[in-house]
Coordinates of all heavy atoms in Angstrom, one line a residue:
M1 N 2.3 10.5 -1.5 CA 3.3 10.8 -2.5 C 4.6 10.1 -2.1 O 5.0 10.2 -0.9 CB 3.5 12.3 -2.6 CG 4.3 12.8 -3.7 SD 3.3 12.6 -5.2 CE 4.6 12.8 -6.4
P2 N 5.3 9.4 -3.0 CA 6.5 8.7 -2.6 C 7.6 9.7 -2.3 O 7.7 10.8 -2.8 CB 6.9 8.0 -3.9 CG 5.7 8.0 -4.8 CD 4.8 9.2 -4.3
I3 N 8.5 9.3 -1.4 CA 9.6 10.1 -1.0 C 10.9 9.8 -1.8 O 11.6 10.7 -2.2 CB 9.9 9.9 0.5 CG1 8.6 10.4 1.3 CG2 11.1 10.7 1.0 CD1 8.6 10.1 2.7
K4 N 11.2 8.5 -2.0 CA 12.4 8.2 -2.7 C 12.3 8.4 -4.2 O 11.3 8.3 -4.8 CB 12.7 6.7 -2.4 CG 13.0 6.5 -0.9 CD 13.5 5.1 -0.7 CE 13.7 4.9 0.8 NZ 14.4 3.7 1.1
R5 N 13.5 8.6 -4.8 CA 13.6 8.9 -6.2 C 13.1 7.7 -7.0 O 12.4 7.8 -8.0 CB 15.0 9.2 -6.6 CG 15.3 10.6 -6.5 CD 16.5 10.9 -7.3 NE 16.6 12.3 -7.5 CZ 17.7 13.0 -7.8 NH1 18.8 12.3 -8.1 NH2 17.7 14.3 -7.9
A6 N 13.5 6.5 -6.6 CA 13.1 5.3 -7.3 C 11.6 5.1 -7.3 O 11.0 4.7 -8.3 CB 13.8 4.1 -6.7
A7 N 11.0 5.4 -6.2 CA 9.6 5.3 -6.1 C 8.9 6.3 -7.0 O 7.8 6.0 -7.6 CB 9.1 5.5 -4.6
L8 N 9.4 7.5 -7.1 CA 8.9 8.5 -8.0 C 9.0 8.0 -9.5 O 8.0 8.2 -10.3 CB 9.6 9.8 -7.9 CG 9.3 10.6 -6.7 CD1 10.2 11.8 -6.5 CD2 7.8 11.1 -6.8
R9 N 10.1 7.4 -9.8 CA 10.3 6.9 -11.2 C 9.3 5.8 -11.5 O 8.7 5.7 -12.5 CB 11.7 6.4 -11.4 CG 12.6 7.4 -12.0 CD 14.0 6.8 -12.3 NE 14.9 7.5 -11.3 CZ 15.8 6.9 -10.5 NH1 15.9 5.6 -10.6 NH2 16.5 7.6 -9.7
S10 N 9.1 4.9 -10.5 CA 8.2 3.8 -10.6 C 6.8 4.3 -10.8 O 6.0 3.8 -11.6 CB 8.2 2.9 -9.4 OG 9.5 2.2 -9.3
L11 N 6.4 5.3 -10.1 CA 5.1 5.9 -10.2 C 4.9 6.5 -11.7 O 3.9 6.3 -12.3 CB 5.0 7.1 -9.2 CG 3.6 7.6 -9.1 CD1 2.6 6.6 -8.6 CD2 3.6 8.8 -8.1
R12 N 5.9 7.1 -12.2 CA 5.8 7.7 -13.6 C 5.7 6.5 -14.6 O 4.9 6.6 -15.5 CB 7.0 8.5 -13.9 CG 7.0 9.9 -13.3 CD 8.1 10.8 -13.9 NE 9.4 10.3 -14.0 CZ 10.4 10.5 -13.1 NH1 10.1 11.3 -12.0 NH2 11.6 10.0 -13.2
K13 N 6.5 5.5 -14.4 CA 6.4 4.3 -15.3 C 5.0 3.7 -15.2 O 4.5 3.3 -16.2 CB 7.5 3.3 -14.9 CG 8.9 3.8 -15.4 CD 10.0 3.0 -14.8 CE 10.0 1.5 -15.2 NZ 11.2 0.8 -14.7
D14 N 4.5 3.5 -14.0 CA 3.2 2.9 -13.8 C 2.1 3.7 -14.5 O 1.2 3.1 -15.2 CB 2.8 2.8 -12.4 CG 3.6 1.7 -11.7 OD1 4.2 0.8 -12.4 OD2 3.7 1.7 -10.4
K15 N 2.2 5.0 -14.5 CA 1.2 5.9 -15.2 C 1.3 5.6 -16.7 O 0.2 5.5 -17.3 CB 1.4 7.3 -14.8 CG 0.9 7.7 -13.4 CD 1.2 9.2 -13.2 CE 0.7 9.5 -11.7 NZ 1.0 10.9 -11.5
R16 N 2.5 5.6 -17.2 CA 2.6 5.4 -18.7 C 2.1 4.0 -19.1 O 1.4 3.9 -20.0 CB 4.1 5.5 -19.1 CG 4.6 6.9 -19.2 CD 5.9 6.9 -20.0 NE 7.0 6.1 -19.3 CZ 7.9 6.6 -18.5 NH1 7.9 7.9 -18.2 NH2 8.8 5.8 -18.0
R17 N 2.4 3.0 -18.3 CA 2.0 1.7 -18.6 C 0.5 1.5 -18.5 O -0.2 0.9 -19.4 CB 2.6 0.7 -17.7 CG 4.1 0.5 -18.0 CD 4.7 -0.5 -16.9 NE 6.1 -0.6 -17.2 CZ 7.0 -0.9 -16.2 NH1 6.6 -1.2 -15.0 NH2 8.3 -1.0 -16.5
T18 N -0.1 2.1 -17.5 CA -1.5 2.1 -17.3 C -2.2 2.8 -18.5 O -3.2 2.3 -19.0 CB -1.9 2.8 -16.0 OG1 -1.3 2.1 -14.9 CG2 -3.4 2.7 -15.8
S19 N -1.7 3.9 -18.9 CA -2.3 4.6 -20.1 C -2.2 3.7 -21.3 O -3.2 3.6 -22.0 CB -1.5 5.9 -20.3 OG -1.9 6.5 -21.4
R20 N -1.1 3.1 -21.6 CA -1.0 2.3 -22.8 C -1.9 1.1 -22.7 O -2.6 0.7 -23.7 CB 0.5 1.7 -22.9 CG 1.4 2.7 -23.5 CD 2.7 2.1 -23.8 NE 3.8 3.0 -23.6 CZ 4.9 2.9 -22.9 NH1 5.1 1.7 -22.2 NH2 5.8 3.8 -22.8
N21 N -2.0 0.4 -21.5 CA -2.8 -0.7 -21.4 C -4.3 -0.4 -21.5 O -5.1 -1.1 -22.1 CB -2.6 -1.4 -20.0 CG -1.3 -2.1 -19.9 OD1 -0.6 -2.3 -20.9 ND2 -0.8 -2.4 -18.7
T22 N -4.7 0.8 -21.0 CA -6.1 1.2 -21.2 C -6.4 1.5 -22.6 O -7.5 1.0 -23.1 CB -6.3 2.5 -20.4 OG1 -5.9 2.3 -19.0 CG2 -7.7 3.0 -20.4
I23 N -5.5 2.1 -23.4 CA -5.8 2.3 -24.8 C -5.9 1.0 -25.5 O -6.8 0.8 -26.3 CB -4.7 3.2 -25.4 CG1 -4.7 4.6 -24.8 CG2 -4.7 3.2 -26.9 CD1 -3.5 5.5 -25.1
A24 N -5.0 0.1 -25.2 CA -5.0 -1.2 -25.9 C -6.3 -2.0 -25.6 O -6.9 -2.6 -26.5 CB -3.8 -2.0 -25.5
R25 N -6.7 -2.0 -24.4 CA -7.9 -2.7 -24.0 C -9.1 -2.1 -24.6 O -10.1 -2.8 -25.0 CB -8.1 -2.7 -22.5 CG -7.2 -3.7 -21.8 CD -7.6 -4.0 -20.4 NE -6.5 -4.3 -19.6 CZ -5.9 -3.5 -18.7 NH1 -6.4 -2.3 -18.4 NH2 -4.8 -3.9 -18.0
S26 N -9.1 -0.8 -24.8 CA -10.2 -0.1 -25.4 C -10.3 -0.5 -26.9 O -11.4 -0.7 -27.4 CB -10.1 1.4 -25.3 OG -11.1 2.1 -26.0
E27 N -9.2 -0.6 -27.6 CA -9.1 -1.0 -28.9 C -9.7 -2.4 -29.1 O -10.4 -2.7 -30.0 CB -7.7 -0.9 -29.5 CG -7.3 0.5 -29.7 CD -5.8 0.6 -30.2 OE1 -5.2 -0.5 -30.6 OE2 -5.3 1.7 -30.2
L28 N -9.3 -3.3 -28.1 CA -9.8 -4.7 -28.2 C -11.3 -4.7 -28.1 O -12.0 -5.5 -28.7 CB -9.2 -5.5 -27.1 CG -7.8 -6.1 -27.4 CD1 -7.3 -6.8 -26.1 CD2 -7.9 -7.0 -28.6
K29 N -11.8 -3.9 -27.2 CA -13.3 -3.9 -27.0 C -14.0 -3.4 -28.3 O -15.0 -3.9 -28.7 CB -13.7 -2.9 -25.9 CG -13.4 -3.5 -24.5 CD -13.8 -2.5 -23.4 CE -13.3 -3.0 -22.0 NZ -13.7 -2.0 -21.0
T30 N -13.4 -2.4 -28.9 CA -13.9 -1.9 -30.2 C -13.9 -3.0 -31.3 O -14.9 -3.2 -32.0 CB -13.1 -0.7 -30.7 OG1 -13.1 0.3 -29.7 CG2 -13.7 -0.1 -32.0
L31 N -12.8 -3.7 -31.3 CA -12.7 -4.8 -32.3 C -13.7 -5.9 -32.0 O -14.3 -6.5 -32.9 CB -11.3 -5.4 -32.3 CG -10.2 -4.5 -32.9 CD1 -8.8 -5.1 -32.6 CD2 -10.4 -4.3 -34.4
K32 N -13.9 -6.2 -30.7 CA -14.9 -7.2 -30.4 C -16.3 -6.8 -30.8 O -17.1 -7.6 -31.3 CB -14.8 -7.5 -28.9 CG -15.7 -8.6 -28.4 CD -15.5 -8.9 -26.9 CE -16.3 -10.0 -26.4 NZ -16.1 -10.2 -25.0
K33 N -16.6 -5.5 -30.6 CA -17.9 -5.0 -31.0 C -18.1 -5.1 -32.5 O -19.1 -5.5 -33.0 CB -18.1 -3.6 -30.5 CG -18.4 -3.4 -29.1 CD -18.6 -1.9 -28.7 CE -18.7 -1.7 -27.2 NZ -18.9 -0.3 -26.9
R34 N -17.0 -4.8 -33.2 CA -17.0 -4.8 -34.7 C -17.3 -6.3 -35.1 O -18.1 -6.5 -36.0 CB -15.8 -4.3 -35.2 CG -15.7 -4.3 -36.7 CD -14.4 -3.7 -37.3 NE -14.3 -3.9 -38.7 CZ -13.2 -3.8 -39.3 NH1 -12.1 -3.5 -38.7 NH2 -13.2 -4.0 -40.6
M35 N -16.6 -7.2 -34.4 CA -16.8 -8.6 -34.8 C -18.2 -9.1 -34.5 O -18.8 -9.8 -35.4 CB -15.8 -9.5 -33.9 CG -15.7 -10.9 -34.3 SD -14.9 -11.1 -35.9 CE -15.4 -12.7 -36.2
L36 N -18.8 -8.7 -33.4 CA -20.1 -9.1 -33.1 C -21.1 -8.5 -34.1 O -22.1 -9.2 -34.5 CB -20.5 -8.7 -31.7 CG -19.7 -9.5 -30.6 CD1 -20.0 -8.9 -29.2 CD2 -20.0 -10.9 -30.6
T37 N -20.9 -7.3 -34.5 CA -21.8 -6.6 -35.5 C -21.7 -7.3 -36.8 O -22.7 -7.6 -37.5 CB -21.4 -5.1 -35.6 OG1 -21.4 -4.5 -34.4 CG2 -22.3 -4.4 -36.5
L38 N -20.4 -7.7 -37.2 CA -20.3 -8.4 -38.5 C -20.9 -9.7 -38.5 O -21.5 -10.2 -39.5 CB -18.8 -8.5 -38.8 CG -18.1 -7.3 -39.3 CD1 -16.6 -7.5 -39.4 CD2 -18.6 -6.8 -40.6
M39 N -20.8 -10.4 -37.3 CA -21.5 -11.7 -37.2 C -23.0 -11.6 -37.4 O -23.6 -12.5 -38.0 CB -21.1 -12.4 -35.9 CG -19.7 -13.0 -35.9 SD -19.4 -14.1 -34.5 CE -19.6 -13.1 -33.1
A40 N -23.6 -10.6 -36.9 CA -25.0 -10.4 -36.9 C -25.4 -10.0 -38.3 O -26.5 -10.4 -38.8 CB -25.4 -9.3 -35.9
Q41 N -24.6 -9.2 -39.0 CA -25.0 -8.7 -40.3 C -24.5 -9.5 -41.5 O -25.3 -9.9 -42.4 CB -24.5 -7.3 -40.5 CG -25.2 -6.3 -39.5 CD -24.6 -4.9 -39.6 OE1 -23.6 -4.7 -40.3 NE2 -25.2 -4.0 -38.9
N42 N -23.2 -9.8 -41.6 CA -22.6 -10.4 -42.7 C -21.6 -11.4 -42.3 O -20.5 -11.1 -41.9 CB -21.9 -9.3 -43.6 CG -21.4 -9.8 -44.9 OD1 -21.4 -11.0 -45.1 ND2 -20.9 -8.9 -45.7
R43 N -22.0 -12.7 -42.4 CA -21.1 -13.8 -41.9 C -19.8 -13.9 -42.7 O -18.8 -14.2 -42.1 CB -21.9 -15.1 -41.9 CG -23.0 -15.1 -40.8 CD -23.1 -16.5 -40.4 NE -23.4 -17.0 -39.2 CZ -23.2 -16.6 -38.0 NH1 -22.7 -15.4 -37.8 NH2 -23.5 -17.2 -36.9
E44 N -19.9 -13.7 -44.0 CA -18.7 -13.9 -44.8 C -17.6 -12.8 -44.4 O -16.5 -13.1 -44.4 CB -19.0 -13.8 -46.3 CG -19.9 -14.9 -46.8 CD -19.3 -16.3 -46.5 OE1 -18.0 -16.4 -46.7 OE2 -20.0 -17.2 -46.1
E45 N -18.1 -11.6 -44.2 CA -17.2 -10.5 -43.8 C -16.6 -10.8 -42.4 O -15.4 -10.6 -42.2 CB -18.0 -9.2 -43.8 CG -17.2 -8.0 -43.5 CD -16.6 -7.4 -44.8 OE1 -17.1 -7.7 -45.9 OE2 -15.5 -6.7 -44.6
A46 N -17.4 -11.4 -41.6 CA -17.0 -11.8 -40.2 C -15.9 -12.9 -40.3 O -14.9 -12.8 -39.6 CB -18.1 -12.2 -39.4
K47 N -16.1 -13.8 -41.2 CA -15.1 -14.9 -41.4 C -13.8 -14.3 -41.9 O -12.7 -14.8 -41.5 CB -15.6 -16.0 -42.3 CG -16.7 -16.8 -41.6 CD -17.1 -17.9 -42.6 CE -18.2 -18.7 -41.9 NZ -18.8 -19.8 -42.8
R48 N -13.8 -13.3 -42.7 CA -12.6 -12.7 -43.2 C -11.9 -11.8 -42.1 O -10.7 -11.7 -42.1 CB -12.9 -11.8 -44.4 CG -13.1 -12.6 -45.7 CD -13.0 -11.7 -46.9 NE -14.1 -10.7 -47.0 CZ -15.3 -10.9 -47.5 NH1 -15.6 -12.1 -48.1 NH2 -16.2 -10.0 -47.5
F49 N -12.7 -11.3 -41.2 CA -12.2 -10.4 -40.2 C -11.6 -11.3 -39.0 O -10.8 -10.8 -38.2 CB -13.3 -9.5 -39.7 CG -12.8 -8.5 -38.6 CD1 -11.9 -7.6 -38.9 CD2 -13.3 -8.6 -37.3 CE1 -11.4 -6.7 -37.9 CE2 -12.9 -7.7 -36.3 CZ -12.0 -6.7 -36.6
L50 N -12.1 -12.5 -38.9 CA -11.7 -13.4 -37.7 C -10.2 -13.5 -37.5 O -9.7 -13.3 -36.4 CB -12.3 -14.7 -37.9 CG -12.1 -15.7 -36.7 CD1 -12.8 -15.2 -35.5 CD2 -12.6 -17.1 -37.1
P51 N -9.3 -13.8 -38.5 CA -7.9 -13.9 -38.3 C -7.3 -12.6 -37.7 O -6.4 -12.7 -36.8 CB -7.3 -14.2 -39.6 CG -8.4 -14.7 -40.4 CD -9.7 -14.1 -39.9
E52 N -7.7 -11.5 -38.2 CA -7.2 -10.2 -37.7 C -7.6 -10.0 -36.2 O -6.8 -9.6 -35.4 CB -7.7 -9.0 -38.5 CG -7.2 -7.7 -38.1 CD -7.7 -6.5 -38.9 OE1 -8.3 -6.8 -40.0 OE2 -7.6 -5.4 -38.5
F53 N -8.8 -10.3 -35.9 CA -9.3 -10.2 -34.5 C -8.5 -11.2 -33.6 O -8.0 -10.7 -32.5 CB -10.8 -10.6 -34.5 CG -11.4 -10.5 -33.1 CD1 -11.4 -9.4 -32.4 CD2 -11.9 -11.7 -32.5 CE1 -12.0 -9.3 -31.1 CE2 -12.5 -11.6 -31.3 CZ -12.5 -10.5 -30.6
M54 N -8.3 -12.4 -34.0 CA -7.5 -13.3 -33.2 C -6.0 -12.8 -33.1 O -5.5 -13.0 -32.0 CB -7.4 -14.7 -33.9 CG -8.8 -15.3 -34.1 SD -9.4 -16.0 -32.6 CE -10.8 -16.9 -33.2
R55 N -5.5 -12.3 -34.1 CA -4.1 -11.7 -34.0 C -4.0 -10.7 -33.0 O -3.0 -10.6 -32.2 CB -3.7 -11.2 -35.4 CG -2.2 -10.8 -35.5 CD -1.8 -10.5 -36.9 NE -2.7 -9.5 -37.6 CZ -2.6 -8.2 -37.4 NH1 -1.7 -7.7 -36.7 NH2 -3.5 -7.4 -38.1
H56 N -5.0 -9.8 -32.9 CA -4.9 -8.7 -32.0 C -5.1 -9.2 -30.5 O -4.4 -8.7 -29.6 CB -6.1 -7.7 -32.2 CG -5.8 -6.7 -33.3 ND1 -4.9 -5.7 -33.2 CD2 -6.2 -6.7 -34.6 CE1 -4.8 -5.0 -34.3 NE2 -5.6 -5.6 -35.2
L57 N -5.9 -10.2 -30.4 CA -6.0 -10.9 -29.0 C -4.7 -11.5 -28.6 O -4.3 -11.4 -27.5 CB -7.1 -11.9 -29.1 CG -8.6 -11.4 -29.0 CD1 -9.5 -12.6 -29.2 CD2 -8.8 -10.8 -27.6
D58 N -4.1 -12.2 -29.5 CA -2.8 -12.9 -29.2 C -1.7 -11.8 -28.9 O -0.9 -12.0 -28.0 CB -2.3 -13.7 -30.4 CG -3.2 -15.0 -30.6 OD1 -3.8 -15.4 -29.6 OD2 -3.3 -15.5 -31.7
Q59 N -1.7 -10.7 -29.6 CA -0.7 -9.7 -29.3 C -0.9 -9.1 -28.0 O 0.0 -8.8 -27.2 CB -0.7 -8.6 -30.4 CG -0.1 -9.0 -31.7 CD -0.3 -7.9 -32.8 OE1 -1.0 -7.0 -32.6 NE2 0.4 -8.1 -33.9
A60 N -2.2 -8.8 -27.6 CA -2.5 -8.2 -26.3 C -2.1 -9.2 -25.2 O -1.6 -8.8 -24.1 CB -4.0 -7.9 -26.2
T61 N -2.3 -10.5 -25.4 CA -1.9 -11.5 -24.4 C -0.4 -11.5 -24.3 O 0.1 -11.6 -23.2 CB -2.4 -12.9 -24.9 OG1 -3.8 -12.8 -25.0 CG2 -2.1 -13.9 -23.8
A62 N 0.3 -11.5 -25.4 CA 1.8 -11.6 -25.4 C 2.4 -10.4 -24.6 O 3.4 -10.5 -23.9 CB 2.3 -11.7 -26.8
K63 N 1.8 -9.3 -24.7 CA 2.3 -8.1 -24.1 C 1.8 -7.9 -22.7 O 2.1 -6.9 -22.0 CB 1.9 -6.8 -24.9 CG 2.7 -6.8 -26.2 CD 2.3 -5.5 -27.0 CE 3.1 -5.5 -28.3 NZ 2.8 -4.3 -29.1
G64 N 0.9 -8.8 -22.2 CA 0.4 -8.8 -20.9 C -0.7 -7.8 -20.6 O -1.0 -7.4 -19.5
R65 N -1.3 -7.4 -21.7 CA -2.4 -6.4 -21.6 C -3.7 -7.1 -21.1 O -4.5 -6.4 -20.4 CB -2.7 -5.7 -22.9 CG -1.4 -5.1 -23.5 CD -1.6 -3.8 -24.0 NE -0.4 -3.4 -24.9 CZ 0.6 -2.7 -24.4 NH1 0.6 -2.3 -23.2 NH2 1.6 -2.3 -25.2
I66 N -3.9 -8.3 -21.5 CA -5.1 -9.1 -21.0 C -4.6 -10.4 -20.6 O -3.5 -10.9 -21.0 CB -6.2 -9.2 -22.1 CG1 -5.7 -10.0 -23.3 CG2 -6.8 -7.9 -22.4 CD1 -6.8 -10.3 -24.3
H67 N -5.4 -11.1 -19.7 CA -5.0 -12.4 -19.2 C -5.2 -13.5 -20.3 O -6.1 -13.4 -21.2 CB -5.9 -12.8 -18.1 CG -5.5 -13.9 -17.2 ND1 -5.7 -15.2 -17.6 CD2 -4.7 -13.9 -16.1 CE1 -5.1 -16.0 -16.7 NE2 -4.5 -15.3 -15.8
P68 N -4.3 -14.5 -20.4 CA -4.3 -15.5 -21.5 C -5.7 -16.2 -21.5 O -6.2 -16.6 -22.5 CB -3.2 -16.4 -21.1 CG -2.2 -15.6 -20.3 CD -3.0 -14.6 -19.6
N69 N -6.2 -16.5 -20.3 CA -7.5 -17.2 -20.3 C -8.6 -16.3 -20.8 O -9.6 -16.9 -21.5 CB -7.9 -17.6 -18.8 CG -7.0 -18.7 -18.3 OD1 -6.2 -19.2 -19.0 ND2 -7.1 -19.0 -17.0
N70 N -8.5 -15.0 -20.6 CA -9.5 -14.1 -21.2 C -9.5 -14.2 -22.7 O -10.5 -14.2 -23.4 CB -9.3 -12.7 -20.7 CG -10.3 -11.7 -21.1 OD1 -11.2 -12.0 -21.9 ND2 -10.2 -10.5 -20.6
A71 N -8.3 -14.2 -23.3 CA -8.2 -14.2 -24.7 C -8.7 -15.6 -25.3 O -9.4 -15.6 -26.3 CB -6.7 -14.0 -25.1
A72 N -8.3 -16.6 -24.6 CA -8.7 -18.0 -25.1 C -10.2 -18.1 -25.0 O -10.9 -18.6 -25.9 CB -8.1 -19.0 -24.2
R73 N -10.8 -17.6 -24.0 CA -12.3 -17.7 -23.8 C -13.0 -16.8 -24.9 O -14.0 -17.3 -25.5 CB -12.7 -17.2 -22.4 CG -14.1 -17.3 -22.1 CD -14.4 -16.9 -20.7 NE -14.0 -15.5 -20.4 CZ -13.1 -15.2 -19.5 NH1 -12.4 -16.1 -18.9 NH2 -12.8 -13.9 -19.3
T74 N -12.5 -15.7 -25.2 CA -13.1 -14.8 -26.2 C -13.0 -15.5 -27.6 O -13.9 -15.5 -28.3 CB -12.4 -13.4 -26.2 OG1 -12.5 -12.8 -24.9 CG2 -13.0 -12.5 -27.2
K75 N -11.8 -16.0 -27.9 CA -11.6 -16.6 -29.2 C -12.5 -17.8 -29.3 O -13.1 -18.0 -30.4 CB -10.1 -17.0 -29.3 CG -9.2 -15.9 -29.6 CD -7.7 -16.1 -29.6 CE -7.1 -17.4 -29.6 NZ -5.6 -17.4 -29.7
S76 N -12.6 -18.6 -28.3 CA -13.5 -19.8 -28.3 C -14.9 -19.4 -28.6 O -15.6 -20.0 -29.4 CB -13.3 -20.6 -27.0 OG -14.3 -21.6 -27.0
R77 N -15.4 -18.4 -27.9 CA -16.8 -18.0 -28.0 C -17.1 -17.4 -29.4 O -18.1 -17.8 -30.0 CB -17.2 -17.0 -26.9 CG -17.3 -17.6 -25.5 CD -17.6 -16.6 -24.5 NE -17.7 -17.2 -23.2 CZ -17.8 -16.5 -22.1 NH1 -17.8 -15.2 -22.1 NH2 -17.9 -17.1 -20.9
V78 N -16.2 -16.6 -29.8 CA -16.5 -16.0 -31.1 C -16.4 -17.0 -32.2 O -17.3 -17.1 -33.1 CB -15.4 -14.9 -31.4 CG1 -15.4 -14.5 -32.9 CG2 -15.7 -13.7 -30.5
S79 N -15.5 -17.9 -32.2 CA -15.4 -18.9 -33.3 C -16.5 -19.9 -33.2 O -17.1 -20.3 -34.2 CB -14.0 -19.6 -33.3 OG -13.8 -20.3 -32.0
R80 N -16.9 -20.3 -32.0 CA -18.0 -21.2 -31.9 C -19.3 -20.6 -32.4 O -20.1 -21.2 -33.1 CB -18.2 -21.6 -30.4 CG -19.2 -22.6 -30.1 CD -19.2 -23.1 -28.7 NE -18.8 -22.0 -27.8 CZ -19.2 -21.8 -26.6 NH1 -20.0 -22.7 -26.0 NH2 -18.8 -20.8 -25.8
H81 N -19.5 -19.3 -32.1 CA -20.7 -18.6 -32.5 C -20.7 -18.4 -34.0 O -21.8 -18.5 -34.7 CB -20.8 -17.2 -31.8 CG -22.1 -16.5 -32.1 ND1 -23.3 -16.9 -31.5 CD2 -22.3 -15.4 -32.8 CE1 -24.2 -16.0 -32.0 NE2 -23.6 -15.1 -32.7
L82 N -19.6 -18.2 -34.6 CA -19.4 -18.0 -36.0 C -19.7 -19.2 -36.8 O -20.3 -19.2 -37.8 CB -18.1 -17.4 -36.3 CG -17.8 -16.9 -37.7 CD1 -18.8 -15.7 -38.0 CD2 -16.4 -16.4 -37.9
L83 N -19.2 -20.4 -36.3 CA -19.4 -21.6 -37.0 C -20.7 -22.3 -36.7 O -21.1 -23.2 -37.4 CB -18.2 -22.6 -36.6 CG -16.8 -22.1 -36.9 CD1 -15.8 -23.0 -36.4 CD2 -16.7 -22.0 -38.4
A84 N -21.5 -21.8 -35.7 CA -22.7 -22.5 -35.3 C -23.8 -22.3 -36.4 O -24.6 -23.2 -36.6 CB -23.2 -21.9 -34.0
K85 N -23.8 -21.2 -37.0 CA -25.0 -21.0 -37.9 C -24.5 -21.1 -39.4 O -23.5 -20.8 -39.8 CB -25.6 -19.6 -37.7 CG -26.2 -19.5 -36.3 CD -26.7 -18.2 -36.0 CE -27.3 -18.1 -34.6 NZ -27.8 -16.8 -34.3

C-alpha cells in the first residue's frame, strides 16, 4: 500500500483508467465478433457495418486504449477478408 498522498491518488486514478480501458476493449471485442459474424452470414450488411467498426478502432487508438499497430492490423485483415470473396 502506498504511503504518500500522491501515490494514493495515482493508485485511484490507475484503477479508474484500468476500468475504462477494460470496458472499451471488451466493446471492441464484441464489435469484432459482430463483424466476423456478419461477414460469414451477410456480406452486404458487413460492408455497411465496416465504417462504424473502423471508426471505433480509430477512436480506441486515439485514446490509447489499444496499440496503433493492433488497430491497423485488425482493419487490414477485416477489409482484406471482406473484399476477398
Side-chain angles (χ1 to χ4, degrees):
M1 194 69 194
I3 297 172
K4 297 189 178 188
R5 271 197 168 164
L8 285 169
R9 265 185 251 132
S10 294
L11 190 64
R12 285 195 306 265
K13 285 165 65 173
D14 287 342
K15 285 181 182 179
R16 279 195 304 266
R17 289 176 183 157
T18 302
S19 172
R20 280 190 213 128
N21 290 343
T22 304
I23 291 168
R25 282 194 211 110
S26 176
E27 288 176 11
L28 277 177
K29 287 180 188 177
T30 304
L31 289 172
K32 187 175 179 181
K33 284 181 188 178
R34 181 175 171 202
M35 186 70 195
L36 294 174
T37 306
L38 285 173
M39 283 193 295
Q41 293 175 353
N42 187 353
R43 287 214 148 332
E44 294 304 317
E45 187 84 22
K47 285 182 182 178
R48 283 195 296 271
F49 182 65
L50 184 65
E52 183 181 346
F53 179 62
M54 299 284 189
R55 185 173 52 85
H56 281 285
L57 282 172
D58 290 335
Q59 285 176 348
T61 303
K63 292 182 178 181
R65 309 221 193 266
I66 60 172
H67 195 275
N69 290 353
N70 185 353
R73 185 175 59 244
T74 303
K75 288 174 8 179
S76 173
R77 286 179 181 170
V78 166
S79 59
R80 186 173 31 151
H81 186 72
L82 191 61
L83 298 174
K85 296 179 183 178

